[in-house]
């Protein structure tokens, strides 16, 4: 009886167009976040994704204030600032000082554009700013869902093309540079993809909760396995599974916003991974990065 009820609920969800649109866009966005997030965690650039979430809000509000589609501001601002952070850092890696400085400046711009928007154009689209902050995955039309899926698929394809050299440069930057890997260019390209991914993910979970979808699945994957390519696959699988679970939870309990349900599921899985793979207290063990470097060296050779 429970199996029949579960099948009925699943069929009822899939019969609704708004849920199918959310599932299509959410699946592709989650896969992109899993791939990008894995390298953000590996390269210790999680703070970068936090900054990009605020940049996304500022860019979207700026576009709204001047009467443009907020998606133009989302993608333009996040990619431009990601490249700026890479240029200010070493070998295409943004450092904390650069991030903190740009972060403060962007937040100031966000306040300015929000004031401009609310005083001049708030009657035209009063809910747009809230959608940027908290996401609106259940509000995507068929055309927007398909576009989001195609953009996210493009980000996934680009990440898969960069995965091998980027992994090499992330684990052993000096050796990678000595072997002719364009470390700085690779880092800049990755940050541009991270900016595009951040802008895309805003549609699903919003700017305020973006960090959870980028960091939690990747962090859990790196705790559960030291194999780099296995970790990449696991990060994608966890992100997609958490997206599906969050959408189903929000559909079953309408009081739960989908962004909250998705990120709460991701954080719960990460907490479980921490408990399962808690490091031992009384004996030394090689660091995760060292084990991953060993695994990658074996695969590379």
């Amino acid at each position: 009886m429970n199996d029949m009820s579960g099948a009925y609920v699943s069929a009822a969800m899939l019969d609704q167009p708004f849920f199918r649109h959310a599932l299509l866009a959410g699946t592709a966005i989650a896969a992109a976040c899993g791939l990008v997030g894995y390298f953000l965690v590996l390269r210790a650039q999680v703070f970068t994704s936090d900054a990009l979430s605020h940049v996304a809000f500022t860019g979207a509000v700026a576009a709204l204030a001047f009467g443009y589609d907020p998606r133009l501001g989302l993608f333009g601002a996040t990619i431009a600032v990601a490249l700026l952070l890479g240029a200010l850092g070493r070998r295409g890696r943004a450092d904390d000082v650069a991030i903190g400085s740009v972060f403060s400046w962007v937040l100031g711009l966000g306040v300015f554009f929000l004031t401009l928007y609310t005083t001049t154009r708030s009657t035209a689209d009063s809910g747009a700013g809230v959608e940027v902050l908290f996401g609106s995955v259940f509000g995507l039309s068929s055309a927007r869902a398909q576009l989001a899926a195609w953009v996210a698929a493009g980000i996934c394809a680009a990440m898969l093309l960069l995965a091998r050299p980027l992994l090499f440069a992330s684990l052993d930057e000096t050796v990678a540079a000595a072997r002719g890997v364009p470390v700085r260019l690779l880092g800049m390209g990755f940050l541009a993809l991270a900016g595009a991914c951040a802008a895309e993910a805003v549609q699903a979970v919003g700017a305020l909760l973006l960090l959870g979808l980028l960091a939690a699945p990747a962090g859990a994957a790196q705790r559960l396995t030291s194999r780099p390519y296995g970790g990449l696959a696991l990060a994608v699988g966890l992100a997609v599974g958490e997206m599906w679970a969050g959408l189903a939870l929000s559909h079953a309990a309408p009081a739960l916003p989908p962004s909250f349900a998705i990120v709460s599921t991701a954080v719960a899985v990460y907490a479980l991974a921490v408990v399962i793979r808690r490091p031992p207290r009384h004996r030394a063990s090689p660091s995760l990065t060292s084990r991953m470097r060993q695994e990658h060296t074996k695969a590379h050779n």
Side-chain angles (χ1 to χ4, degrees):
M1 185 69 179
N2 289 337
D3 292 341
M4 293 180 61
S5 300
Y8 175 77
V9 171
S10 299
M13 288 191 297
L14 293 175
D15 282 341
Q16 301 177 52
F18 78 89
F19 190 86
R20 293 199 303 270
H21 300 159
L23 194 63
L24 171 64
T27 300
I29 289 170
C33 285
L35 288 171
V36 171
Y38 184 85
F39 283 103
L40 285 171
V41 174
L42 181 63
R43 294 165 66 86
Q45 291 183 305
V46 174
F47 190 27
T48 303
S49 61
D50 186 29
L52 290 176
S53 67
H54 293 79
V55 171
F57 173 70
T58 298
V61 174
L64 287 168
F66 291 104
Y68 295 103
D69 189 318
R71 285 173 292 182
L72 293 177
L74 275 173
F75 282 92
T78 52
I79 293 174
V81 171
L83 291 173
L84 174 62
L85 292 175
L88 293 175
R90 177 177 171 271
R91 287 186 173 178
R93 291 196 189 212
D95 57 54
D96 289 346
V97 175
I99 295 172
S101 301
V102 174
F103 197 172
S104 301
W105 173 62
V106 166
L107 282 178
L109 282 178
V111 173
F112 168 73
F113 287 126
L114 181 61
T115 301
L116 186 63
Y117 171 61
T118 54
T119 55
T120 59
R121 297 181 178 271
S122 58
T123 56
D125 192 0
S126 58
V130 175
E131 288 183 0
V132 172
L133 280 174
F134 300 105
S136 57
V137 68
F138 279 157
L140 295 177
S141 65
S142 177
R144 284 186 62 188
Q146 291 180 36
L147 178 60
W150 279 112
V151 172
I155 294 171
C156 288
M159 284 301 305
L160 290 175
L161 286 174
L162 292 180
R164 187 178 179 85
L166 184 60
L167 186 62
F168 189 15
S170 300
L171 294 178
D172 207 329
E173 187 177 88
T174 303
V175 175
R179 292 193 179 184
V181 176
V183 172
R184 182 175 179 79
L185 184 62
L186 203 57
M188 298 284 285
F190 168 67
L191 284 174
L193 287 172
C197 185
E200 189 68 15
V202 164
Q203 298 180 81
V205 295
L208 290 181
L209 301 179
L210 170 62
L211 180 60
L213 190 58
L214 280 169
Q222 290 192 18
R223 280 188 170 269
L224 294 173
T225 179
S226 62
R227 297 180 179 275
Y229 297 111
L232 268 174
L234 183 57
V236 172
L238 288 175
V240 171
E242 290 155 4
M243 175 66 70
W244 291 351
L247 292 177
L249 280 172
S250 183
H251 184 275
L256 286 177
S259 55
F260 170 77
I262 293 164
V263 174
S264 295
T265 304
V267 172
V269 172
Y270 176 75
L272 182 61
V274 171
V275 172
I276 292 173
R277 294 298 299 270
R278 182 171 302 191
R281 292 184 179 180
H282 300 298
R283 62 183 179 86
S285 61
S287 67
L288 176 63
T289 304
S290 298
R291 296 198 303 270
M292 293 178 69
R293 186 180 290 113
Q294 293 168 7
E295 292 287 344
H296 181 261
T297 301
K298 290 178 184 177
H300 190 72
N301 294 334

